Amino acid sequence: MATPTNSPASSTSNQSISKLWYKNYMVWIFVIGLPLFVVVACIWFVFYSVRIQDSTVRDDWYMDGKTLYADVSKDKLAHDLGLTGQMMISHQAVNFKLEAPASDKFKAPEQLAVEISHATQKQKDRDIIVRRLSDGSYAGNVQLDPSKGKYYIVVHDPANSWRLRAIEELPMAKSIAFKPLTAFDVKAKN
């Protein structure tokens, strides 16, 4: 008896040649390519997270267990002394006028420290010292980044006993007012 040409034995050998796994593009894309891409992406993200670290907070924050606290004793002292200030700032110069009520418990220092911290980019932070002039104001030089952004400005004495803080958009702001925190007012508590 003669076997027909489309017998099961001949059709299986033809199908097995055309259905080899390494000739199927779906195997290369989904079985090999996708897992390989995920492994490479994970290695890159691990490298990136270790190499690029978040910048630290530039303030008096401390952690106790899982709770964050801010030390506001310097702000309270500025409030109790009645200190205020006015700063004129440009790309090159800083002029600061410290105003304090006349009392024997406060003596204006010969120099003040000014910290200008960008909200998100550490490389744009500037720390300068302003020196007291003959008229009682303070002056110093600073090189600010020309792109505008949100900045935290802190003025304090080098002994670090008090501080005044402000938040401004620089270099757009020309005049910055420094006032002590109102949370310490007796009227605000009532």
Side-chain angles (χ1 to χ4, degrees), residues 16-113:
S16 64
I17 292 174
S18 66
K19 295 290 185 179
L20 293 174
W21 71 269
Y22 57 85
K23 290 189 176 185
N24 190 344
Y25 72 93
M26 297 293 249
V27 171
W28 287 102
I29 292 174
F30 293 109
V31 177
I32 296 172
L34 210 54
L36 184 64
F37 172 76
V38 169
V39 168
V40 170
C42 287
I43 291 171
W44 183 83
F45 279 119
V46 167
F47 173 77
Y48 182 78
S49 65
V50 169
R51 180 138 164 88
I52 310 297
Q53 297 177 358
D54 294 335
S55 61
T56 57
V57 176
R58 292 182 49 156
D59 206 355
D60 292 338
W61 289 88
Y62 62 93
M63 194 167 184
D64 183 18
K66 295 280 184 188
T67 309
L68 291 173
Y69 296 100
D71 181 14
V72 293
S73 61
K74 297 173 188 176
D75 300 310
K76 173 108 172 80
L77 182 59
H79 176 271
D80 293 345
L81 291 172
L83 301 178
T84 60
Q86 191 71 25
M87 182 179 285
M88 303 297 282
I89 193 164
S90 68
H91 291 292
Q92 299 290 331
V94 172
N95 294 314
F96 182 73
K97 179 71 175 161
L98 180 65
E99 298 166 8
S103 73
D104 14 330
K105 60 182 177 177
F106 178 75
K107 181 180 181 293
E110 289 301 314
Q111 62 185 14
L112 294 174

Side-chain angles (χ1 to χ4, degrees), residues 77-159:
L77 182 59
H79 176 271
D80 293 345
L81 291 172
L83 301 178
T84 60
Q86 191 71 25
M87 182 179 285
M88 303 297 282
I89 193 164
S90 68
H91 291 292
Q92 299 290 331
V94 172
N95 294 314
F96 182 73
K97 179 71 175 161
L98 180 65
E99 298 166 8
S103 73
D104 14 330
K105 60 182 177 177
F106 178 75
K107 181 180 181 293
E110 289 301 314
Q111 62 185 14
L112 294 174
V114 178
E115 298 173 5
I116 304 171
S117 305
H118 191 273
T120 58
Q121 299 174 6
K122 187 176 181 177
Q123 68 272 15
K124 293 183 180 181
D125 293 352
R126 303 291 185 262
D127 294 337
I128 62 170
I129 298 292
V130 291
R131 303 199 188 290
R132 190 170 184 185
L133 302 175
S134 60
D135 65 352
S137 66
Y138 295 84
N141 295 326
V142 65
Q143 183 67 36
L144 290 178
D145 191 87
S147 61
K148 80 175 187 176
K150 180 179 178 181
Y151 285 86
Y152 300 98
I153 304 150
V154 177
V155 177
H156 60 88
D157 68 337

